[in-house]
Amino acid sequence: MITFTSFPKSKDSFSYTAAKFSAVDGNDMDVDVYGDDYGEDFDSGTKLTYPGESITSSYDYMRGHGTFIDQGNVISSVAGTIERVNKLVSVRAIRTRYNPEVGDLIVGRITEVQPRRWKVDANSRQDAVLMLSSINLPGGVQRRKLESDELQMRQFFEGGDLLVAEVQAFFADGAMSLHTRSLTYGKLRNGQLVCVPPILIRRLKSHFVSLPCNVDLILGLNGYIWVSKHIDQNRQPGEEGLDAESVYSNQNEAIDAPTRMAVSRVTNLIKVLASHFVPLSDVILLEAYEWAVENDVEVKDLTQPDICEGLIATVGTKG
Amino acid sequence: MGEGTRPSSPWEGCVTGIEVVSSSYHQTPPFPLSKYEKTYIQAALRELSPIRADGRSLFDYRSTALETGVASLANGSARVNIGKTAGEESGSGAEVIAAVKLEVEDVLEGEGVDGGRIVFTVSCSPAAYPHLSSTALDDLSYDTTIILNQCLSHPSLHPKNLTISPRRKSWSLNLDIMVLSDSGNVYDALFLAARSALWDAKVPKTRSVQYQPKSNILGDQDVEMSADGSGSIFNTREVAKAADFELADWWDEGEPLRVNREWPVCVTLNLVPAKSLLMYFADVTPHEEASMPLRLLLLFSFSPSGTRLRSMRLMGDGEVQLESMTLLLEGGENHAKKLFEALGKKLEEEDLRRNQKAQVKFDLR
């Protein structure tokens, strides 16, 4: 029922678990490419900076995002990991809004319907834009948009709807433009949303993850994760069957109780992992799910502190 | 609203223990939910064995943390958090902090009321509702204040020891509540915090002082005037009346508010829209809150003299049959009783903890 606990001592809240996981930096590909050619006078990617920390000399390096110059030094303005491309030094903040890049897969929520476009909340600094011309219109991929489509935009997406999309380009003001012109993108149904800090989502080969417990996951790079019932690939609508009914329907399918439990379990696991700052990937999630099933943990008990610790300890050692 | 000239804010000096709440990636209510998210949640609750998004059963509360004595300058204070995720530093859960501050008021000249008065103020922090404009936030704070006022300012709940000297001076009790973050079920947290802070509140002990003109010296007129300024020095009829008060120099902070400790607790019952059967559940997450059309606030107080329904309020745009109200009240009473008992136990533990802490501090001197 209800039991009251005490607040943790304030010093406990500073015991940051991030240090355990050196893989905090999501894309270590573009770091250290030229690592050995230049005299290394600072670490990149391994250590967390604190705001105000002097990183390097401004005479040798250029300042990037998250840094400023003071008295000939490049100084970090945020807590985060150092990234360097040639002479450009930037700091990627740990807690920040999502910084979009072209080609990223994101999960977003429609906030507004505007003439010929939707505004989408994607955990970024500005709302993203989804143009009517960059969605799959019913009746075939190649169909031109008509005036009637403009009038019935709410048949496709309305305020509050969740969708998975790809970042297509940027506008002049930095807002991102999305597109859903693929059969794998579009409206999300049959599940629930979890929000985690965007830095925890690592770039994967595929962000559509299927767990063996009949659960599908979409790991949006903006930190929104869609957890839903597994949909068989064969049953996905083909190009001919692309009608407004199936793609833009607002009806959930029938979902049985075990699947609902599995969805809840995965949701709780993601929350626990995110609260301990573990970067999420399909491997780690699968491992965590297996651990929860092996140890026969009830879904609601997953958020209890001692069980969290157990989970983090197991997943942390292997991962 | 009890703003105005406040001598010192009760929040002063309570920096310890309050973290900066940042809700950067927590979606906060009332964000729009899509139709199919709502139906997903509702359908899961209508299953034979209802399933909630986080696996809890219908009346499980999320982990609830409570602490009293968080504001050192207040006469009583409490902090409540419902639903903090373990390991997460800040910004999760519905967090509410409440403080009681007593002020001396003059009944004759000031705005004081004989027997003391209570002023409730709820302020919602912009960090808790980042999507709201400042006017909307003011409205929300005002609405919540009204609810608190209507529920707690009943004469039967008025503390009897707020008088300092009858018809002259009285205490004005200011209960300030701050909503630091909201992730569902904020009303339960609000009333838990209010009850805890009022339980924790101590009224300073006072002693009346009066002037006694020395009558044995002829022609001596006491040049001091009585502190309230009402009595003239030539007025000799009311010499025996207490004119002012002083704080009794006592090791204890004072005595608790004398209301038989009947401050109520609140349970919010969220009604699942269903055609035939009546279904409700407690302690909602923001997603659940957004998909339930109707909720019922029930405030119960339990004392040896009996159980009392202090207040009830139906919120939302759904409707409920009159026949089902009895069932709801019975169910609500059961759950409120459990909540009340658990809270009482926790409050006693907190008293014990703080007494021990005070003892250790005293021994160190």
Side-chain angles (χ1 to χ4, degrees), chain A residues 1-10 13 16 95 97 109-110 121 123 158-163 187-193 195-198 224 226 249-252 255-261 263-265 267-268 271-272 274-276 299-300 303-305 308, chain B residues 17 19 22-27 31-41 43-45 47 49 51-57 59-67 79-81 84-90 95 192 285 287 335 338-339 342-344 346 349-350 353:
Chain A
M1 274 297 301
I2 181 166
T3 44
F4 285 93
T5 57
S6 298
F7 282 92
K9 292 277 165 294
S10 52
S13 61
Y16 218 53
R95 295 247 161 174
R97 293 196 158 257
R109 190 189 288 280
I110 306 280
D121 162 45
N123 203 17
E158 58 182 338
D161 280 359
L162 286 163
L163 59 105
K187 202 177 244 187
L188 296 171
R189 278 182 296 270
N190 305 327
Q192 55 194 27
L193 183 77
C195 305
V196 303
Y224 290 179
W226 183 249
S249 148
N250 277 324
Q251 296 292 319
N252 285 324
I255 306 168
D256 53 352
T259 312
R260 283 186 193 274
M261 287 307 272
V263 168
S264 294
R265 193 186 296 262
T267 310
N268 272 4
K271 278 185 194 156
V272 169
S275 71
H276 287 78
V299 176
K300 65 175 176 188
T303 45
Q304 307 225 329
C308 286
Chain B
E19 297 140 22
S22 70
S23 44
S24 56
Y25 62 90
H26 292 280
Q27 285 204 333
F31 51 83
L33 274 189
S34 59
K35 281 175 192 155
Y36 43 88
E37 276 176 290
K38 285 182 190 170
T39 47
Y40 181 86
I41 291 172
L45 285 163
E47 294 260 334
S49 53
I51 302 161
R52 290 174 70 173
D54 46 8
R56 284 180 292 149
S57 59
F59 296 100
D60 276 341
Y61 272 75
R62 293 167 286 175
S63 73
T64 308
L66 188 142
E67 192 177 344
R79 177 180 168 218
V80 171
N81 186 311
K84 199 183 183 75
T85 325
E88 193 141 343
E89 313 91 68
S90 58
E95 182 142 339
L192 281 178
T285 60
H287 284 245
H335 296 294
K338 285 178 194 155
L339 180 64
L343 177 63
K346 176 65 183 170
E349 273 171 28
E350 280 290 304
R353 176 185 69 87

Side-chain angles (χ1 to χ4, degrees), chain B residues 149-215:
Chain B
N149 236 323
Q150 290 179 342
C151 296
L152 292 184
S153 59
H154 192 263
S156 67
L157 283 174
H158 192 83
K160 296 183 180 57
N161 53 348
L162 287 183
T163 308
I164 300 171
S165 64
R167 290 187 301 285
R168 274 167 192 265
K169 293 267 162 76
S170 64
W171 293 112
S172 141
L173 189 154
N174 292 292
L175 176 62
D176 295 276
I177 302 186
M178 192 122 163
V179 180
L180 293 179
S181 67
D182 178 358
S183 63
N185 205 15
V186 78
Y187 285 104
D188 284 13
L190 209 67
F191 282 98
L192 281 178
R195 186 179 146 79
S196 310
L198 289 162
W199 165 285
D200 188 44
K202 303 277 191 301
V203 183
K205 280 200 174 128
T206 53
R207 193 162 47 208
S208 359
V209 199
Q210 63 185 47
Y211 298 106
Q212 289 187 326
K214 294 171 185 164
S215 52

Side-chain angles (χ1 to χ4, degrees), chain B residues 211-257:
Chain B
Y211 298 106
Q212 289 187 326
K214 294 171 185 164
S215 52
N216 53 347
I217 303 170
L218 266 178
D220 175 49
Q221 285 183 338
D222 200 337
V223 281
E224 285 178 274
M225 296 214 350
S226 53
D228 56 26
S230 63
S232 147
I233 47 166
F234 299 109
N235 187 353
T236 49
R237 281 176 297 172
E238 288 183 27
V239 278
K241 199 166 178 184
D244 207 344
F245 72 97
E246 63 179 12
L247 289 175
D249 191 11
W250 190 246
W251 64 274
D252 199 10
E253 287 167 272
E255 54 168 3
L257 293 170

Side-chain angles (χ1 to χ4, degrees), chain A residues 4-5 25 57 92-93 99 103 130 136 138 146 153 157 178 184 194 196 203 213 244 260 264 270 274 293-294:
Chain A
F4 285 93
T5 57
D25 52 328
S57 161
R92 213 171 117 108
N99 285 318
L130 177 67
N136 268 335
L146 303 169
M153 278 176 69
F157 293 112
L178 307 174
T184 44
V194 204
V196 303
R203 284 203 159 70
C213 52
R260 283 186 193 274
S264 294
I270 292 172
V293 173
E294 268 170 35

Side-chain angles (χ1 to χ4, degrees), chain B residues 115-120 147-162 173 175 191 194-195 198-199 256-266 299-303 305-311 340:
Chain B
R117 64 190 185 115
I118 311 184
V119 179
F120 299 99
I147 289 181
L148 202 74
N149 236 323
Q150 290 179 342
C151 296
L152 292 184
S153 59
H154 192 263
S156 67
L157 283 174
H158 192 83
K160 296 183 180 57
N161 53 348
L162 287 183
L173 189 154
L175 176 62
F191 282 98
R195 186 179 146 79
L198 289 162
W199 165 285
L257 293 170
R258 219 184 294 141
V259 278
N260 306 325
R261 302 204 163 185
E262 270 201 15
W263 303 105
V265 288
C266 170
L299 278 98
F300 282 98
S301 65
F302 301 88
S303 61
S305 56
T307 305
R308 288 181 80 164
L309 175 63
R310 287 282 172 195
S311 171
F340 191 85

